[in-house]
Amino acid sequence: MLKIYNTLTRKKENFVPLKKNNVGLYTCGPTVYNYAHIGNLRSYVFEDILKRVLLFNKYKVKHVMNITDIDDKTIRASQEANQTLKKFTATYTLAFKEDAKKLNILSPGKYAPATNYIKPMTALTQKLIKNGFAYEKDGSVYFNIKKFKNYGKLARLNFSGMKAGARVDVDNYEKENPADFVLWKAWTPKDGPVFWQTPLGKGRPGWHIECSVISMKELGQPFDIHAGGVDLIFPHHENEIAQSEAALNKPFVKYWLHGEHLLVNNQKMAKSLNNFFTLRDLITRHFNPLAFRYLLLTTHYRSKLNFTLEALEAAERGLEHLHDVVRKLKQEKKINNKNREIDGDNKMGDKRYEIRDKFLEAINDDLDTPGALAIVWEAIKNNLIDYKTLLTFDKVLGLGLDKAKTKKTKIPVVVQKLLNARAIARAEKDWKESDRLREEIKKIEFEVQDSADGGQTVVEL
Ligand code: AMP
Ligand code: ZN
């Protein structure tokens, strides 16, 4: 049984979906004003593991991720770049999708850009005004947190220092300063051409409302799992709960999951602190993006992880070692198939089930990826794992183990000798001998490809 840690209850709980085998999953997506840093990417890899574990447990997952393509940061940055907001955010949306692909992050069923939902955001804001949870002030609309009696239940806020009637216009603020937050922002000249003309007036939505509206529309309310980084607990997720539960008067989300931060020198990696790497920075330094994924898997998602290039180098060595093992196991599988050593296979059978159970137990224990990796390495050490099982585990780990073969094919000496002989035969235009040698090479499961300039390359079959 899958167990996950629910921030709402501060407990590890059995996962029981609301509707049989179907799971609604909402994850807060990127603010597309720049390249994501690898701290951001840690959160998306954690969510990807969560989704893969759900799939491994045979749940059907409907996954929605918003794209924040309208907020203070995107407007400011697009102005600095002298581009329309739409064009500017499109560039970074694409960059984000590319990064996600390089990290083997499965695409959500739906990417939902906030600007596609302006109308329902306006409608929800109107509803909150009508129900007495929101009020207008100078053309903007604010959520009155005093009116929502459960305000603070996720972040467990202490209101003692709260100033009466305090209001915030900025999207992000500290837990120490709970205040009425903005649902709709009136247009100001510094927004330039960015505004929508709506029944609420000329302006644009606040940040928090987008996730309430998109999840409500795409997954319904309540839905199963909402996830993001720990910095989103307050104010973002607290505000989402307030908006959604006040509007529909029913629970919003059953399980809240939050991933811990990636640190640099024990400080949160953040754009504002200028202590960040992007995935592109790592690639420029010749790292395999999946080495970064491997590094992330070695730490539990609820623990902080201090990033260093040395740790990444060690992770890359670990991943390469794993790829070597995969190649070796694949070779063994071929030999076994050829010799029909089904006997050997059967002997391994029981042990393999044991390892599968242990692996499942680890990942189902609140996504314990370090534990799962330890089981894999232990099984490798004791010769208790085969190619197929390892690839099955990779459905959760996502380390691209199925592609391990083509990356680093070492040409066996015997193949090299045959290739040399074939080169001589071809130079002497002895085509019969050349074809015979091609067949010989094929028997060892390599295929020769002749290039236009007369050279030969081989690929492993
Ligand atoms: P943003 O693009 O700023 O909205 O953030 C996208 C995601 O990255 C959110 O889920 C944040 O919680 C997460 N995030 C931001 N900084 C870090 C970090 N240093 N480590 C892990 N996750 C982070
Ligand atoms: Zn969100």
Side-chain angles (χ1 to χ4, degrees):
M1 169 135 230
L2 173 59
K3 289 195 183 69
I4 47 180
Y5 183 87
N6 189 351
T7 310
L8 195 61
T9 56
R10 305 291 196 272
K11 281 195 188 99
K12 222 190 259 184
E13 294 177 21
N14 287 336
F15 176 67
V16 184
L18 293 160
K19 278 179 240 135
K20 261 194 168 165
N21 283 327
N22 294 297
V23 178
L25 170 67
Y26 187 91
T27 56
C28 293
T31 307
V32 281
Y33 71 110
N34 208 327
Y35 295 111
H37 61 63
I38 56 171
N40 301 134
L41 295 172
R42 181 182 188 197
S43 287
Y44 304 120
V45 170
F46 139 62
E47 291 154 4
D48 185 56
I49 294 289
L50 167 64
K51 178 158 125 191
R52 285 169 177 268
V53 168
L54 289 164
L55 293 170
F56 202 75
N57 280 278
K58 307 236 162 33
Y59 290 115
K60 271 202 192 131
V61 181
K62 185 168 180 195
H63 177 200
V64 178
M65 179 189 270
N66 68 306
I67 303 278
T68 302
D69 59 350
I70 168 79
D71 78 327
D72 296 338
K73 287 188 268 189
T74 44
I75 293 178
R76 208 179 319 123
S78 67
Q79 285 167 345
E80 278 162 16
N82 223 351
Q83 283 182 13
T84 63
L85 184 68
K86 203 174 168 68
K87 181 156 185 281
F88 180 77
T89 54
T91 305
Y92 290 108
T93 303
L94 187 67
F96 169 73
K97 289 179 185 172
E98 283 169 3
D99 286 352
K101 198 163 172 211
K102 290 198 182 98
L103 287 171
N104 265 350
I105 293 173
L106 303 173
S107 293
K110 185 166 191 116
Y111 278 117
T115 50
N116 285 358
Y117 296 79
I118 301 288
K119 229 180 166 175
M121 285 195 248
T122 326
L124 196 83
T125 304
Q126 283 178 303
K127 187 166 187 177
L128 288 169
I129 298 174
K130 196 165 144 247
N131 294 354
F133 290 101
Y135 60 92
E136 190 263 353
K137 174 97 174 77
D138 299 333
S140 292
V141 180
Y142 298 87
F143 188 95
N144 185 347
I145 61 173
K146 286 245 176 60
K147 287 277 161 75
F148 182 65
K149 73 171 187 339
N150 282 328
Y151 193 80
K153 71 174 171 182
L154 182 71
R156 308 212 168 163
L157 295 180
N158 173 2
F159 293 98
S160 59
M162 193 183 157
K163 282 195 228 113
R167 252 188 308 276
V168 281
D169 283 297
V170 287
D171 288 326
N172 235 331
Y173 46 97
E174 297 300 313
K175 194 173 156 185
E176 288 67 38
N177 301 311
D180 290 354
F181 60 91
V182 73
L183 298 168
W184 181 260
K185 283 194 189 207
W187 179 82
T188 66
K190 71 177 188 335
D191 294 339
V194 180
F195 62 82
W196 283 263
Q197 197 74 57
T198 74
L200 297 168
K202 181 177 170 179
R204 62 183 166 96
W207 171 37
H208 314 294
I209 191 88
E210 72 184 73
C211 291
S212 284
V213 166
I214 295 170
S215 59
M216 203 180 277
K217 272 203 90 82
E218 304 299 342
L219 298 172
Q221 183 173 324
F223 64 92
D224 297 285
I225 307 179
H226 196 316
V230 280
D231 55 317
L232 297 187
I233 297 174
F234 187 85
H236 187 51
H237 290 163
E238 193 67 61
N239 292 352
E240 282 187 37
I241 294 175
Q243 296 159 157
S244 301
E245 299 195 350
L248 299 197
N249 196 25
K250 57 180 174 181
F252 176 39
V253 168
K254 191 165 178 194
Y255 302 94
W256 286 91
L257 268 69
H258 293 98
E260 255 299 349
H261 282 148
L262 190 70
L263 310 181
V264 179
N265 292 328
N266 296 310
Q267 261 192 316
K268 178 190 171 189
M269 182 177 283
K271 295 256 166 65
S272 56
L273 296 173
N274 209 18
N275 62 354
F276 64 91
F277 287 98
T278 62
L279 194 63
R280 280 141 222 263
D281 294 333
L282 301 185
I283 293 167
T284 308
R285 287 168 190 253
H286 304 291
F287 283 106
N288 176 352
L290 293 180
F292 177 61
R293 185 175 173 110
Y294 184 92
L295 174 66
L296 296 179
L297 300 190
T298 59
T299 302
H300 190 261
Y301 78 91
R302 283 197 292 120
S303 299
K304 293 184 173 65
L305 169 56
N306 197 42
F307 178 79
T308 62
L309 289 171
E310 290 73 34
L312 183 59
E313 275 164 20
E316 184 145 83
R317 285 194 294 277
L319 181 63
E320 275 176 9
H321 186 183
L322 198 54
H323 279 205
D324 286 341
V325 171
V326 175
R327 278 188 287 274
K328 193 179 120 256
L329 291 176
K330 182 162 193 202
Q331 211 59 39
E332 275 173 16
K333 179 179 154 246
K334 274 187 196 163
I335 294 166
N336 282 351
N337 282 353
K338 229 190 240 156
N339 299 345
R340 300 195 189 285
E341 278 180 0
I342 298 160
D343 252 16
D345 248 17
N346 280 349
K347 267 181 237 152
M348 225 179 154
D350 290 348
K351 287 285 180 199
R352 210 180 299 147
Y353 281 119
E354 228 172 81
I355 285 155
R356 279 183 76 121
D357 286 350
K358 278 190 178 171
F359 182 86
L360 188 66
E361 208 179 297
I363 56 165
N364 277 356
D365 181 12
D366 195 27
L367 324 179
D368 180 8
T369 52
L373 280 178
I375 287 158
V376 168
W377 282 116
E378 184 69 18
I380 290 171
K381 197 175 105 198
N382 296 320
N383 253 329
L384 292 175
I385 198 161
D386 64 357
Y387 179 69
K388 204 170 138 212
T389 311
L390 204 44
L391 283 206
T392 308
F393 292 172
D394 201 42
K395 289 202 160 72
V396 174
L397 304 173
L399 293 170
L401 299 185
D402 55 333
K403 297 188 186 77
K405 74 157 202 213
T406 44
K407 258 199 165 159
K408 253 200 184 174
T409 304
K410 270 211 190 114
I411 305 170
V413 178
V414 48
V415 174
Q416 194 56 57
K417 281 188 178 159
L418 291 167
L419 281 174
N420 294 345
R422 190 166 177 270
I424 294 166
R426 281 163 65 79
E428 291 170 350
K429 298 199 171 12
D430 185 350
W431 306 125
K432 209 171 150 205
E433 177 65 358
S434 158
D435 286 347
R436 190 189 68 79
L437 288 164
R438 172 194 289 282
E439 285 311 306
E440 282 295 305
I441 292 168
K442 209 169 185 172
K443 279 187 203 152
I444 316 170
E445 306 219 14
F446 279 84
E447 186 169 68
V448 186
Q449 290 170 348
D450 295 319
S451 57
D453 61 5
Q456 313 175 77
T457 49
V458 281
V459 288
E460 198 180 355
L461 290 174

